[in-house]
Amino acid sequence: MSLPIYMDNHATTALDPRVLEAMLPYLREDFGNAASRNHAFGWRAEAAVEQARAQVAALIGAQANELVFTSGATESDNLALKGVAEFYRSKGDHIITLKTEHKAILDSGKRLERMRQERLEELKLLRLMELTGGEVKPEDADALSAQYKLDQDPVLQRWAAVVRAGARVTYLDVEKDGRVDLGKLADAMTDRTILVSVMLANNEIGTVQPLAEIGKLCRSRGVLFHTDAVQGVGKVPFDVESMKVDLASITAHKLYGPKGIGALYVRRKPRVRIAPIIDGGGHERGMRSGTLNVAGIVGFGKAAEIARTEMAAESARILALRERLRAKLTSELDMCTVNGSLEHRLPGNLNISFAYVEGEALMMAIKDVAVSSGSACTSASLEPSYVLRALGVEEDMAHSSIRFGLGRFNTESQVDAVARLVVEKVKKLREMSPLYEMASEGVDIKSIAWTAH
Amino acid sequence: MAYSDKVVDHYENPRNVGTLDKSDPNVGTGLVGAPACGDVMRLQLRISDEGIIQDAKFKTFGCGSAIASSSLVTEWVKGKTVDEATTITNKEIAKELSLPPVKIHCSVLAEDAIKAAVADFKKKRAERQGVLATATTT
């Protein structure tokens, strides 16, 4: 068997040879700028872009003119949150999302919160200057605020009510299986809520959210609904019409397409508006300026077409591989736990914690297999996975997690080889683990007074 | 992130993995770290009455660098006196294994494990001498 084996298809996927074939002419002779309206080079590029736009739209049940091409899902997520917050700021300023969303959503939300907070701080300083009749240094603001009881100041409250910068963001908890509770989502909505953003499928645990129910709820409350559909599109059914989705982020490289090209679906009926975050030549109907990545877009289109026609058969095949891997691991190893819902899950995702074995050590032991871990040691932050923590997974079990991401090019013999290797190495590492020894002797690991470092 | 050859060597061929009888009066056991942080090291030393480290065993839950750090110190402490062993610093361990900055805490843990094992041995010995002292006076 050829090594290494790639089982990290949530990180990225291999470029399908059919996609590369479709792209090549646009990297060679058909290099035109799709915005060149007056010569054949531009016309050919434009025709290729429009064909691809229709292919991508067909995959998600959209119209071609509802897609805005971007550099990828991170940009699409930024554009959706910041674009809606800015455009609808006279309507409201509250956004609801989940604690398990991708960082592109969470950190866009944090920036919007910071923008609003900075504006409020400015107003506070202005009000203090008015009250004291002089200069106020930012470092004195807190003491003066207390002295002048600014938290009860009616003038400042009136000023704050007209602040139109940034947003307030609610980060909802998820249930133990990783899914959102619709009742809690409904309860979090206020008359200031303008947007709900819930992902189609999670990148770590593969949990698929109930988008149709969320879409129905949002539509009934007059709130826009955005979904980061990156991990799920082309793998599980996704349709913007039946799910009443208003905005959706997608990207090519999770679909066996090229990196550097994504899209934001923006609904036309009823019309959804966004303010651009990149200004310039007015490409993509003013929502995203910048010369179009023609070859990337053509590849995205081809990848979407393949996904649309092959998804049903491919997902069934990959699910069977995933279940084969899960059965082998859980039957031959004790004390392992699958993280997230098994029922509502991407077919190719298996996120599993092998108790008393540290994830990075296991990855090192299976170095010819490309997987990911929720262990802190694999991140620069030294914090274990925030997604697993949001599910209520204990920190030690988060450190012990491995994410297998199966995809189009994985085979049954690869699954069997990986399962054999993982079983062997987990057993070896447990032989070296003081925790496994203690647990086997019946010592309650939690009863020990550990010294955090 | 690439691992140094020495880390890989200790990780793939760990020295002195195992368990010593912790009820043996000449065995000191150090258990440091925390499962929540992703590192737990247990270092056990068998120390002669003259204070020479005769044997060392470890078990570690942690990343490759943590396993390599503990494996390395078991090699280093054998044959040393207790006082010599406790002068081993995390800097020496980190240097020997070429640990990157993000893995320095693994070497700190290994240094702590030596100190904890020696402290456990000294505590046991003091208790034993206490018992002996009480026995002779009565």
Side-chain angles (χ1 to χ4, degrees):
Chain A
M1 179 165 311
S2 84
L3 296 172
I5 295 171
Y6 190 75
M7 276 196 192
D8 201 13
N9 284 284
H10 300 302
T12 192
T13 57
L15 193 67
D16 190 300
R18 294 168 286 181
V19 171
L20 177 63
E21 209 51 46
M23 290 170 71
L24 284 174
Y26 299 93
L27 293 163
R28 289 179 178 144
E29 59 277 10
D30 292 327
F31 57 82
N33 185 329
S36 297
R37 290 282 156 80
N38 300 308
H39 53 65
F41 293 87
W43 300 332
R44 274 208 297 279
E46 193 193 7
V49 165
E50 292 317 311
Q51 191 200 342
R53 201 187 295 277
Q55 288 169 316
V56 176
L59 177 63
I60 63 170
Q63 301 299 313
N65 61 7
E66 294 177 304
L67 286 176
V68 175
F69 285 117
T70 65
S71 64
T74 291
E75 187 189 327
S76 298
D77 285 347
N78 272 264
L79 179 57
L81 262 67
K82 293 171 186 173
V84 165
E86 185 179 337
F87 196 89
Y88 291 93
R89 59 188 171 183
S90 58
K91 184 168 175 273
D93 59 3
H94 180 227
I95 294 172
I96 303 170
T97 187
L98 306 183
K99 285 189 177 155
T100 51
E101 291 288 317
H102 191 271
K103 286 282 183 191
I105 295 290
L106 299 178
D107 287 358
S108 291
K110 291 211 182 89
R111 179 175 292 272
L112 289 167
E113 287 184 292
R114 206 158 55 236
M115 282 166 68
R116 179 181 154 77
Q117 207 49 46
E118 281 168 5
R119 188 74 189 108
L120 292 173
E121 296 298 321
E122 283 170 16
L123 290 178
K124 202 192 270 183
L125 277 183
L126 291 175
R127 180 62 180 145
L128 287 173
M129 287 181 197
E130 196 173 61
L131 289 168
T132 59
E135 286 289 311
V136 175
K137 291 188 191 123
E139 58 266 33
D140 300 333
D142 283 348
L144 287 167
S145 297
Q147 189 185 330
Y148 285 93
K149 295 194 169 62
L150 274 199
D151 52 338
Q152 297 157 31
D153 183 65
V155 175
L156 184 61
Q157 280 167 9
R158 276 203 300 278
W159 291 2
V162 298
V163 166
R164 293 286 177 265
R168 288 180 261 221
V169 185
T170 300
Y171 304 91
L172 282 180
D173 283 313
V174 294
E175 303 306 298
K176 269 200 143 6
D177 65 354
R179 302 236 297 175
V180 64
D181 179 309
L182 287 167
K184 286 181 188 162
L185 176 60
D187 289 347
M189 290 180 176
T190 72
D191 57 354
R192 304 288 296 163
T193 307
I194 49 173
L195 181 69
V196 165
S197 181
V198 173
M199 67 206 321
L200 170 58
N202 185 271
N203 48 306
E204 289 190 32
I205 51 175
T207 301
V208 177
Q209 298 290 351
L211 291 203
E213 287 85 346
I214 298 169
K216 204 171 139 196
L217 172 66
C218 290
R219 192 64 62 85
S220 76
R221 301 287 283 265
V223 173
L224 294 177
F225 176 30
H226 167 256
T227 184
D228 176 341
V230 166
Q231 293 287 345
V233 90
K235 284 141 199 169
V236 291
F238 177 65
D239 181 83
V240 293
E241 280 310 314
S242 65
M243 292 173 170
K244 297 186 168 45
V245 170
D246 295 307
L247 302 116
S249 303
I250 50 178
T251 195
H253 79 102
K254 312 281 190 190
L255 278 177
Y256 312 96
K259 291 166 188 61
I261 185 70
L264 181 66
Y265 159 79
V266 185
R267 176 174 289 283
R268 298 269 281 197
K269 283 180 191 161
R271 192 165 184 201
V272 173
R273 307 285 297 273
I274 50 171
I277 55 176
I278 295 179
D279 298 302
H283 307 75
E284 299 298 89
R285 290 172 293 122
M287 285 186 265
R288 206 284 189 177
S289 289
T291 296
L292 291 177
N293 170 2
V294 177
I297 290 168
V298 168
F300 193 4
K302 184 67 186 173
E305 186 191 82
I306 296 169
R308 187 171 59 81
T309 53
E310 298 182 359
M311 183 176 94
E314 180 169 285
S315 287
R317 188 186 75 85
I318 291 173
L319 178 64
L321 289 182
R322 200 273 309 281
E323 285 303 290
R324 187 180 178 91
L325 179 62
R326 184 171 73 92
K328 281 177 181 284
L329 294 177
T330 54
S331 66
E332 290 180 50
L333 292 169
D334 60 344
M335 296 191 265
C336 43
T337 316
V338 175
N339 299 308
S341 167
L342 263 180
E343 186 189 354
H344 306 284
R345 194 181 194 100
L346 288 177
N349 177 279
L350 185 62
N351 187 309
I352 189 162
S353 290
F354 302 98
Y356 314 123
V357 172
E358 202 276 328
E360 190 196 333
L362 182 54
M363 284 172 61
M364 196 173 164
I366 56 169
K367 61 179 186 302
D368 289 326
V369 183
V371 293
S372 284
S373 169
S375 158
C377 289
T378 60
S379 71
S381 66
L382 290 178
E383 288 294 321
S385 156
Y386 67 91
V387 172
L388 295 180
R389 297 291 293 132
L391 297 191
V393 173
E394 296 286 340
E395 278 182 319
D396 52 340
M397 287 298 266
H399 281 290
S400 299
S401 72
I402 295 284
R403 178 187 72 178
F404 299 91
L406 294 154
R408 180 173 293 167
F409 302 108
N410 289 121
T411 63
E412 202 170 274
S413 58
Q414 284 181 332
V415 165
D416 291 352
V418 168
R420 260 197 316 276
L421 189 65
V422 170
V423 168
E424 178 200 327
K425 297 301 182 183
V426 167
K427 284 181 175 165
K428 183 185 167 217
L429 286 166
R430 281 180 172 172
E431 283 299 304
M432 294 172 63
S433 169
L435 301 177
Y436 187 72
E437 184 186 301
M438 290 156 87
S440 307
E441 287 169 354
V443 176
D444 179 8
I445 305 285
K446 288 191 180 63
S447 71
I448 294 170
W450 299 102
T451 45
H453 56 282
Chain B
M1 183 170 37
Y3 300 96
S4 72
D5 291 345
K6 281 182 180 159
V7 168
V8 172
D9 179 39
H10 275 281
Y11 174 78
E12 288 181 347
N13 312 294
R15 281 55 139 184
N16 306 307
V17 175
T19 307
L20 298 174
D21 178 8
K22 63 175 179 285
S23 61
D24 180 336
N26 285 88
V27 170
T29 301
L31 184 65
V32 297
C37 305
D39 302 289
V40 175
M41 266 181 209
R42 190 191 66 194
L43 178 67
Q44 294 187 299
L45 307 175
R46 177 178 289 119
I47 301 165
S48 71
D49 290 337
E50 293 74 38
I52 308 288
I53 297 170
Q54 296 167 316
D55 199 5
K57 296 276 183 205
F58 84 93
K59 281 200 177 188
T60 289
F61 162 80
C63 63
S65 304
I67 289 170
S69 298
S70 19
S71 170
L72 176 71
V73 299
T74 59
E75 280 196 322
W76 277 3
V77 297
K78 274 200 215 179
K80 282 198 166 70
T81 67
V82 164
D83 291 338
E84 284 166 350
T86 48
T87 63
I88 294 173
T89 66
N90 82 287
K91 286 205 178 77
E92 295 168 287
I93 299 164
K95 193 176 166 215
E96 173 69 15
L97 295 173
S98 312
L99 296 181
V102 70
K103 296 292 183 189
I104 295 301
H105 69 277
C106 299
S107 63
V108 173
L109 214 52
E111 179 189 324
D112 291 349
I114 301 173
K115 296 202 160 86
V118 168
D120 181 57
F121 167 75
K122 286 187 172 167
K123 188 169 148 246
K124 274 183 173 176
R125 194 175 54 180
E127 280 169 7
R128 194 160 39 128
Q129 284 169 345
V131 171
L132 288 176
T134 332
T136 42
T137 47
T138 49

